[in-house]
Amino acid sequence: MSADGHLLHNLMLFGRLLRELGLDVHSGRMIDAAGALRLVGVRRRSDFYHALRTVLVHRQQDIAPFDEAFQLFWRPPKSDWTTMDLRSLGEERRYRQPQFDPPPTASDPLGRQEGPDGGDKVEMTRTYSAREVLREKDFAEFTADEVDEARALIAELRWDLGRRRTRRWMPGAGPLIDLRRAIRKNMAVGGELLDLPRRQRKEKRRPLVLICDVSGSMERYTRILLHFIHTVFGDVGRIEAFLFATRLTRVTGYLKDRDIDRAVTEVAHAVPDWAGGTRIGDVLKAFNFHWARRVLGWGGVVLIISDGWDRGQPDMLRFEIARLQRGCHRLVWLNPLLGSPSYEPLSRGMQSALPFVDDFLPVHNLISLEGLAEHLNALPSRRPSRRQQTRLLARSASQEQQEAPEAVQRSWRLDANPSFRHPRWGGGRERQGS
Amino acid sequence: MKQTTTVPATVDELQQAMREQLYVADRGLAISIHLALSLKRPLLLEGEAGVGKTEVAKVLASSLDTDLIRLQCYEGLDVNHAVYEWNYARQLLEIRLLEASGGLDRGAAARDLFSEEFLIKRPLLRALEHDGGRPPVLLIDEVDRADEEFEGFLLEILSDFQVTIPEMGTIRSEEPPFVVITSNRTREVHDALKRRCLYYWIDYPDFQKEYQIVTTRIPGAPRKLSEEVTAFVQELRTAELYKVAGVAETLDWTAALVALDQTELDPSVIDDTLGIMLKYREDIESVRGEPVRAMLNRARNRGTRRGRARG
């Protein structure tokens, strides 16, 4: 009896340990666990393990921490071993600190004193024209104060990625008669079908996937772009965010924090290769392999934010981005360098990616973000027609590039896609005075 | 009548029972199933395509000697197709008949029209209403294909084993069915649903287990062929591919090779039949030719090492 009590006590401690490791182990689960052990018994260690695992773990990613905890917890104690050692558990699995300084967050002493609604205050005191200047200023030249102000302006933007017609029906003015409601309704008039309610397809917002470059060359933009991503998070329904330099890191979980400063700091700690070099091809490959099938369902829109400086293999980039484009509803590439009138996408990475991008837009100041919001809100419900075209382009581009790179460089503007929008000749720039 | 006697009393018995139905279950999987049966909880099985998730439910149904009720999920799956629907055509006909006979009493008609006679029972309702003695196995297949709305009403059914039909009232199950839910993890199933289930992640099998599966399912295959096929597939899973071949593919491939009268693996035959294993053009192109030969050599080396260790 007392042995049983010991086991239960340890089981509770184990449950608490799992909770500290982030597993969703509530007390109902612990009752199940105790019940399970009674059924399976504790004679065989592997049975004991599987019984606990099947009851306490319900996500694949939780299996590894569970295993680690199990190994540590359920073993014969050494003489010099105390429960204190358990506290360090899970620490190793955390990502190491960024090797480079993360971009300064807006929580420097000055920003803190302003309080949470500091942005609003500034906005009111600033004059109209000052605000205009800010809208046109390149993100790279922003001071910490201006970042705060810009945040307030970004927060005013509305994001609506268009809607996708789902396969689900709901009452409405659609083409089909809702027989169930028709019969119920018309029972009141003796079953004569006088009033015919109809049904229509339900619509849902498209999911959004953000893949943002935080490599060295993007450093000046990273901070404000993280703010931008965080703002979009609050607005759009389903969203996934990834950061990359040499490796792809998923940061969706961190950005769900409502407090932006904390979220940004968390993200900075989570990304191991902050401000490293860029290997876009490898990164997209990792995305295609591990995430595309899980996050691109239901007609997602993908935003890649990068300057296109790539140190990887152009062939790989071309191959992987073509694949990514085939898998998503629309692929948008945002490039901060595109804000400069003299910029031409001649870098190797940009050259290989361009034929497979549906939209190529600047993201260097607030006006460009407004333009982006406007563009995304007006996305057509159909995919852009591109498949055949891009395949052909892929083949010819890779052949031509080996023979005569100049020819390709000159012809990039003639491509049907992307719908290239340059600040000088693109539409939507005229709204500056509004 | 005691029905619980049909449930295998121990994990070993369950494993044996599944083995008799040609399913090779891990100890871990067997424990999960055993617990799900004993605790009367739904079992959520996740894993890559083709590792035998759906098969678990089928095998379970036949080893428990009960019915299998299957619900294939898809986007937009709604109550009308998952739980129940009224037979509108018959309802309309009934109204006409009542009119013609002059006996149309509105209150009575409304009660009659929404009675069990006009109810079309869909899988979930059939699983709950089952009265054939032993509770059936309810397979909710590929729940990740359904949308969140569907998960929402699964919650009521899975936690209380009851459904509410507004016109008729609540239908409660006397003996809850054994529920097996599978997911390919193309999206994360909602936590609320997961919390109601026991969970098991089915991994790709190791060589020993896969070899056992191949010899159990295709007893006619030459021993050498089965061994080489298994070793080759194990090797193939380590290659960088978009879609890795599952156990189902291994079995298909072995069957195909047996049909082609092969007694051992041959690089050119592998090249010709790669389409059975790999379903992406890019994947096939990346392994065809030289990589296949290299993999086959490695697989054979492993095989001889294994043979030596055994002998």
Side-chain angles (χ1 to χ4, degrees):
Chain A
M1 187 65 217
S2 89
D4 215 34
H6 273 303
L7 180 63
L8 280 184
H9 180 69
N10 281 332
L11 194 61
M12 291 304 140
L13 287 179
F14 185 56
R16 194 189 298 164
L17 174 66
L18 291 179
R19 258 195 302 280
E20 277 167 21
L21 285 175
L23 272 73
D24 176 29
V25 178
H26 52 92
S27 46
R29 286 273 154 190
M30 295 313 297
I31 296 171
D32 280 350
L37 290 185
R38 203 159 300 134
L39 284 164
V40 172
V42 292
R43 279 198 306 266
R44 269 168 75 169
R45 188 178 157 88
S46 71
D47 285 7
F48 179 62
Y49 161 80
H50 279 296
L52 284 186
R53 195 181 96 177
T54 201
V55 174
L56 298 178
V57 176
H58 41 283
R59 288 192 305 188
Q60 195 245 347
Q61 61 262 42
D62 287 345
I63 292 179
F66 176 84
D67 286 352
E68 208 181 321
F70 186 87
Q71 292 301 339
L72 259 181
F73 193 89
W74 301 102
R75 65 176 182 191
K78 289 190 202 121
S79 51
D80 57 341
W81 190 78
T82 69
T83 46
M84 293 297 283
D85 292 347
L86 286 170
R87 293 204 187 146
S88 65
L89 194 62
E91 289 292 324
E92 302 162 276
R93 286 182 311 107
R94 279 212 194 122
Y95 299 97
R96 61 202 154 91
Q97 297 289 308
Q99 293 159 321
F100 302 85
D101 285 339
T105 58
S107 58
D108 44 24
L110 241 168
R112 273 275 158 79
Q113 281 161 12
E114 277 183 314
D117 50 2
D120 288 339
K121 263 186 264 164
V122 179
E123 193 190 316
M124 281 184 283
T125 53
R126 285 264 180 164
T127 61
Y128 180 74
S129 63
R131 210 175 139 167
E132 279 310 299
V133 171
L134 186 68
R135 286 176 66 218
E136 285 177 42
K137 191 167 180 179
D138 196 296
F139 289 147
E141 292 152 19
F142 271 21
T143 62
D145 284 348
E146 283 171 331
V147 168
D148 283 346
E149 268 177 74
R151 261 161 64 183
L153 289 178
I154 292 177
E156 284 174 17
L157 295 176
R158 283 287 153 259
W159 304 94
D160 188 2
L161 288 172
R163 288 166 185 267
R164 186 183 66 96
R165 217 173 60 166
T166 66
R167 317 271 315 169
R168 186 169 286 284
W169 291 97
M170 57 183 251
L176 283 188
I177 292 170
D178 191 339
L179 272 176
R180 177 175 185 162
R181 283 198 303 145
I183 290 179
R184 275 175 65 88
K185 228 174 163 176
N186 291 300
M187 282 311 293
V189 291
E192 200 63 54
L193 295 183
L194 297 175
D195 184 11
L196 291 180
R198 289 169 184 275
R199 53 186 191 156
Q200 66 182 32
R201 294 282 194 193
K202 189 171 182 177
E203 291 193 338
K204 273 190 194 167
R205 298 174 119 181
R206 291 186 179 280
L208 177 69
V209 178
L210 283 155
I211 306 176
C212 183
D213 187 346
V214 293
S215 63
S217 59
M218 287 284 290
E219 205 162 14
R220 295 172 306 157
Y221 293 99
T222 311
R223 188 169 143 208
I224 190 85
L225 287 177
L226 282 181
H227 286 302
F228 157 67
I229 292 173
H230 188 266
T231 320
V232 178
F233 248 76
D235 242 15
V236 180
R238 273 179 50 194
I239 181 162
E240 290 284 339
F242 298 85
L243 301 186
F244 72 91
T246 46
R247 282 173 37 186
L248 186 74
T249 312
R250 181 179 183 232
V251 294
T252 310
Y254 303 105
L255 287 168
K256 288 197 172 134
D257 198 332
R258 300 297 286 178
D259 181 350
I260 172 131
D261 293 327
R262 212 164 54 206
V264 169
T265 318
E266 289 266 296
V267 166
H269 284 278
V271 178
D273 51 352
W274 201 280
T278 329
R279 303 180 78 89
I280 308 179
D282 294 86
V283 163
L284 291 183
K285 183 170 187 181
F287 179 80
N288 283 338
F289 260 75
H290 303 295
W291 292 103
R293 271 192 302 151
R294 294 180 58 192
V295 301
L296 280 186
W298 327 103
V301 174
V302 178
L303 297 188
I304 298 179
I305 309 178
S306 169
D307 55 7
W309 287 107
D310 181 30
R311 297 202 308 211
Q313 300 164 358
D315 276 339
M316 186 179 201
L317 172 58
R318 191 174 304 120
F319 186 79
E320 295 298 337
I321 199 166
R323 189 178 179 90
L324 176 60
Q325 191 197 26
R326 286 204 297 280
C328 66
H329 177 72
R330 201 171 183 101
L331 180 58
V332 182
W333 187 301
L334 303 173
N335 189 337
L337 301 181
L338 200 50
S340 148
S342 57
Y343 171 77
E344 288 197 46
L346 298 183
S347 71
R348 244 182 7 172
M350 220 50 253
Q351 278 284 313
S352 355
L354 261 188
F356 306 100
V357 171
D358 295 318
D359 301 284
F360 187 45
L361 306 171
V363 56
H364 65 291
N365 60 15
L366 290 169
I367 293 179
S368 67
L369 283 185
E370 283 166 22
L372 174 69
E374 216 173 281
H375 179 73
L376 291 181
N377 297 353
L379 279 187
S381 60
R382 290 188 180 280
R383 279 177 188 233
S385 63
R386 60 195 180 194
R387 294 188 171 209
Q388 299 305 321
Q389 224 166 319
T390 47
R391 282 234 176 122
L392 285 175
L393 274 170
R395 202 159 299 150
S396 65
S398 61
Q399 282 162 5
E400 274 175 48
Q401 213 165 36
Q402 284 151 6
E403 292 152 19
E406 291 87 356
V408 189
Q409 288 179 3
R410 253 181 270 119
S411 67
W412 67 266
R413 261 179 228 160
L414 301 173
D415 295 344
N417 28 334
S419 65
F420 176 68
R421 290 218 274 168
H422 197 279
R424 280 204 175 161
W425 353 291
R429 300 294 129 216
E430 289 75 34
R431 297 181 346 106
Q432 293 185 5
S434 66
Chain B
M1 192 176 108
K2 268 182 85 181
Q3 287 154 356
T4 43
T5 47
T6 56
V7 177
T10 67
V11 179
D12 292 314
E13 274 178 47
L14 179 73
Q15 225 170 350
Q16 188 53 38
M18 292 180 77
R19 192 61 186 274
E20 277 158 22
Q21 303 293 327
L22 306 185
Y23 192 92
V24 183
D26 276 338
R27 184 84 186 164
L29 177 60
I31 289 177
S32 296
I33 298 172
H34 179 71
L35 287 177
L37 292 177
S38 320
L39 298 172
K40 303 213 182 311
R41 287 296 196 88
L43 177 63
L44 172 61
L45 295 175
E46 280 195 326
E48 302 293 336
V51 291
K53 299 184 292 294
T54 306
E55 205 60 25
V56 167
K58 292 186 190 165
V59 166
L60 197 58
S62 48
S63 49
L64 296 177
D65 191 24
T66 176
D67 291 339
L68 174 70
I69 297 178
R70 176 174 179 164
L71 177 68
Q72 168 68 49
C73 296
Y74 53 87
E75 194 201 343
L77 178 62
D78 55 12
V79 180
N80 290 342
H81 291 99
V83 191
Y84 70 95
E85 189 165 32
W86 295 105
N87 191 340
Y88 308 117
R90 283 199 56 201
Q91 281 179 327
L92 288 174
L93 214 65
E94 185 74 12
I95 293 174
R96 293 288 162 269
L97 282 174
L98 286 174
E99 266 174 2
S101 63
L104 187 65
D105 166 21
R106 277 184 206 163
R111 271 197 304 282
D112 288 348
L113 284 178
F114 293 105
S115 64
E116 199 159 340
E117 195 185 340
F118 297 95
L119 193 66
I120 303 174
K121 291 173 188 171
R122 303 290 192 194
L124 291 182
L125 187 57
R126 270 191 285 136
L128 291 184
E129 275 211 321
H130 192 85
D131 52 355
R134 240 165 269 141
V137 173
L138 170 63
L139 167 63
I140 301 174
D141 212 5
E142 301 188 320
V143 74
D144 50 332
R145 280 174 186 262
D147 41 18
E148 287 91 351
E149 288 91 337
F150 176 70
E151 278 182 28
F153 74 70
L154 260 190
L155 291 181
E156 183 193 359
I157 292 175
L158 293 187
S159 50
D160 302 332
F161 293 105
Q162 63 175 41
V163 289
T164 307
I165 302 176
E167 295 89 348
M168 287 180 67
T170 302
I171 294 179
R172 193 168 283 111
S173 150
E174 285 176 17
E175 180 120 19
F178 302 128
V179 185
V180 177
I181 306 175
T182 74
S183 158
N184 282 331
R185 221 162 153 247
T186 55
R187 71 181 174 85
E188 215 55 70
V189 176
H190 200 278
D191 277 348
L193 182 58
K194 286 184 161 183
R195 290 174 76 162
R196 283 166 174 77
C197 304
L198 299 187
Y199 176 85
Y200 191 78
W201 170 262
I202 303 189
D203 223 330
Y204 290 116
D206 59 6
F207 176 86
Q208 289 304 336
K209 192 190 162 196
E210 191 160 26
Y211 179 66
Q212 253 182 20
I213 296 172
V214 171
T215 48
T216 320
R217 296 307 279 261
I218 309 177
R223 197 171 151 233
K224 177 150 195 224
L225 181 71
S226 320
E227 227 174 73
E228 283 192 348
V229 163
T230 314
F232 184 82
V233 173
Q234 293 277 332
E235 205 59 52
L236 193 64
R237 289 205 186 107
T238 61
E240 232 181 32
L241 299 170
Y242 273 109
K243 192 77 196 68
V244 180
V247 183
E249 276 83 6
T250 315
L251 293 174
D252 285 350
W253 197 37
T254 315
L257 292 172
V258 170
L260 291 172
D261 289 331
Q262 300 291 313
T263 51
E264 58 176 346
L265 279 182
D266 173 77
S268 65
V269 177
I270 298 181
D271 277 352
D272 293 342
T273 51
L274 264 182
I276 301 174
M277 305 286 290
L278 304 174
K279 309 293 165 71
Y280 279 95
R281 209 193 84 207
E282 292 91 336
D283 284 350
I284 294 179
E285 275 172 9
S286 72
V287 298
R288 175 170 281 161
E290 207 34 60
V292 161
R293 276 170 191 79
M295 272 188 251
L296 185 57
N297 283 337
R298 260 177 294 163
R300 284 195 173 134
N301 288 340
R302 294 257 167 83
T304 48
R305 243 180 287 145
R306 252 194 307 272
R308 235 177 276 142
R310 221 181 288 139

